[in-house]
Amino acid sequence: MIEIIFWILLVALLYTYFGYSLLMWIISKVLKKKKKSTQIHVFPDVTLVIAAYNEKELIKEKVRNGFEQTYPAGKIRQLWITDGSNDHSHELLKNIPNVNVLHNNERRGKTAAVNRAMQFVETPITIFTDANTMLNREAIELIVNEFDHPATGCVAGEKRVKVRENDNAVGMGEGSYWKYESWIKKLESETGSTLAAAGELYAIRTSLFEALPENVILDDYVLSSRIATRGYNVKYCPDAYAIENPSANIEEEQKRKIRIAAGAFQTVFQFPEFFNFIKNPFYVFKYLSHKVLRWVVVPPVMILIPLLCGIIYFQNPTSLFYQMFSVILIIFFSLVILGKFLQKRKIRYKFIFIPYYIFTMNMAIIKGFLRYIKGQQDVRWDKAQRAR
């Protein structure tokens, strides 16, 4: 019986990290059509919506980044929401031409800020981006170009994390994770639609916006996923990207991941439409495979598999498979421990930090789950410090 449980958990783990992406790759190759190179000749007005909390140091750079696009500057509007900020950033923004700012002294969270901001958006396309991320010059043009098909309701840009020579374990782990995640999103998009977008950069048809409950933790995920469940495609545009620095250290990255995990479990328990298999069978399959298994199954499996393997090995020490698998586990967890001790050192072979990052982030999911069921996750974003 223990061996059966072990194999079920191992297959679930392998499917989540490798099998699903392989399946998406195969389906994408079967369905992939040659995309015609199209260039937009009509440039609709777009609004950049930027929710910022105490980001005064980055405002001028971000505003300039938003207007210095290949997209016609006259077609770009910027709408900033600085609710709760006490660094006088709203006063700075009021003095910048072609920028509108909404400010409220009360800080009620990003979802409330987005709901309020959308009442003032008059353009057909709304682009959401974070204040601490910078866009490549072609980002807006590439994203708008994806809306040439009427079935497209949302376009997700790519999040990129700067990985530098002197980065610690967090920079290496976060950068590697997002490369892997971006590849999966690309495959999902090629099979019709990816699941959702990340808040660093994504766009929607403004007419599809529906106000979100203000207790929503992951506004970007829920907003884009709701569009997908209404039958529209969420396309992934990797050539349009937002780039940001990695978290300053593993503690700051864990803080961010715990909050994201709490929001992830909120989507599982509070949004039943994401599980409507009859209406959206392929979406639900992707959602279960890409997200739910990773949130619900993988973290406890990472703890249970070593325990079960150890029990089976001691019961049957002559089994070559369990001998080899035990060695693999020993190497993996040795690298986890090594990564813990070396996380702040400058070493050449940073790939050894990846097991440490994977393990700590899965433990953050467990902490996020506990925080969610205890009702301890504040909807207001506790900003993680970024490396400079």
Side-chain angles (χ1 to χ4, degrees):
M1 184 64 181
I2 293 178
E3 282 198 57
I4 294 174
I5 297 173
F6 171 85
W7 279 102
I8 291 173
L9 296 181
L10 180 60
V11 169
L13 181 67
L14 293 175
Y15 172 75
T16 303
Y17 278 131
F18 304 107
Y20 172 67
S21 54
L22 176 62
L23 182 59
M24 285 295 102
W25 180 80
I26 293 171
I27 296 174
S28 71
K29 291 299 180 186
V30 172
L31 298 180
K32 197 170 184 180
K33 298 176 182 177
K34 250 188 175 178
K35 189 174 180 181
K36 294 179 181 177
S37 178
T38 56
Q39 186 175 4
I40 53 177
H41 299 288
V42 177
F43 295 89
D45 289 349
V46 301
T47 300
L48 284 178
V49 173
I50 307 163
Y53 174 66
N54 286 344
E55 297 283 10
K56 187 175 181 179
E57 293 180 0
L58 296 170
I59 282 175
K60 288 185 178 179
E61 183 183 3
K62 181 66 178 183
V63 169
R64 185 168 59 250
N65 175 249
F67 284 128
E68 290 181 349
Q69 292 278 310
T70 57
Y71 205 80
K75 296 285 187 176
I76 302 172
R77 307 178 190 180
Q78 291 195 29
L79 176 59
W80 288 68
I81 316 98
T82 59
D83 292 352
S85 296
N86 53 20
D87 64 348
H88 304 290
S89 51
H90 63 288
E91 296 174 2
L92 174 61
L93 285 161
K94 283 180 180 178
N95 295 321
I96 300 177
N98 304 317
V99 172
N100 294 322
V101 58
L102 302 174
H103 180 76
N104 193 319
N105 290 330
E106 182 185 5
R107 187 182 178 210
R108 292 161 53 200
K110 188 177 178 182
T111 301
V114 168
N115 283 343
R116 189 159 68 93
M118 290 303 294
Q119 299 175 43
F120 297 88
V121 176
E122 299 175 343
T123 60
I125 303 293
T126 303
I127 301 174
F128 299 93
T129 180
D130 288 344
N132 66 333
T133 63
M134 298 300 151
L135 313 181
N136 61 310
R137 290 193 70 246
E138 303 82 10
I140 294 179
E141 184 174 355
L142 291 169
I143 279 180
V144 173
N145 198 34
E146 290 290 333
F147 284 101
D148 62 349
H149 198 290
T152 301
C154 174
V155 178
E158 180 170 299
K159 171 183 174 177
R160 295 187 184 180
V161 178
K162 289 181 183 176
V163 179
R164 298 163 295 196
E165 187 64 29
N166 62 344
D167 276 341
N168 55 23
V170 181
M172 180 64 192
E174 193 179 353
S176 300
Y177 167 78
W178 275 106
K179 286 179 182 177
Y180 169 71
E181 185 71 9
S182 297
W183 180 60
I184 296 177
K185 284 176 175 285
K186 180 175 179 289
L187 294 176
E188 288 175 336
S189 181
E190 290 173 354
T191 62
S193 175
T194 190
L195 293 171
E200 285 77 8
L201 176 62
Y202 73 105
I204 66 168
R205 293 188 189 276
T206 305
S207 59
L208 297 180
F209 177 78
E210 292 180 339
L212 302 173
E214 290 193 3
N215 71 329
V216 165
I217 299 168
L218 302 181
D219 58 286
D220 48 0
Y221 188 92
V222 175
L223 175 55
S224 52
S225 293
R226 274 183 158 184
I227 290 174
T229 58
R230 287 165 63 186
Y232 292 91
N233 289 329
V234 178
K235 304 305 291 185
Y236 186 61
C237 184
D239 293 328
Y241 60 85
I243 191 163
E244 65 180 351
N245 291 328
S247 298
N249 51 55
I250 200 69
E251 290 77 19
E252 292 297 314
E253 177 68 357
Q254 272 212 317
K255 180 171 73 175
R256 200 176 68 85
K257 288 291 188 182
I258 289 170
R259 180 188 184 277
I260 291 172
F265 285 105
Q266 182 187 59
T267 67
V268 171
F269 293 111
Q270 294 189 21
F271 293 91
E273 61 264 38
F274 295 167
F275 293 95
N276 191 333
F277 188 81
I278 295 175
K279 185 178 179 181
N280 300 297
F282 202 23
Y283 173 87
V284 175
F285 167 73
K286 291 178 179 178
Y287 181 51
L288 292 172
S289 300
H290 186 175
K291 298 297 184 181
V292 177
L293 284 177
R294 197 182 293 185
W295 298 333
V296 177
V297 175
V298 172
V301 163
M302 291 196 75
I303 298 172
L304 290 172
I305 277 187
L307 294 175
L308 294 176
C309 183
I311 293 171
I312 297 169
Y313 176 72
F314 281 111
Q315 290 177 346
N316 187 13
T318 60
S319 170
L320 182 60
F321 173 80
Y322 290 105
Q323 287 178 5
M324 296 297 294
F325 197 79
S326 297
V327 171
I328 293 172
L329 289 174
I330 290 170
I331 293 172
F332 177 83
F333 283 101
S334 296
L335 288 174
V336 170
I337 296 169
L338 186 63
K340 168 70 175 175
F341 285 107
L342 297 180
Q343 60 175 299
K344 295 180 180 178
R345 303 270 184 91
K346 294 180 182 179
I347 64 172
R348 184 175 179 181
Y349 302 107
K350 292 184 173 61
F351 65 86
I352 68 171
F353 289 128
I354 294 177
Y356 173 59
Y357 182 86
I358 291 172
F359 181 78
T360 54
M361 293 310 104
N362 274 285
M363 295 308 100
I365 293 175
I366 294 176
K367 293 176 183 178
F369 172 71
L370 295 175
R371 183 180 291 184
Y372 170 72
I373 61 174
K374 292 178 182 178
Q376 296 176 341
Q377 179 58 58
D378 195 325
V379 70
R380 292 170 296 182
W381 175 257
D382 187 9
K383 187 169 63 175
Q385 296 300 311
R386 291 282 172 179
R388 296 295 181 185

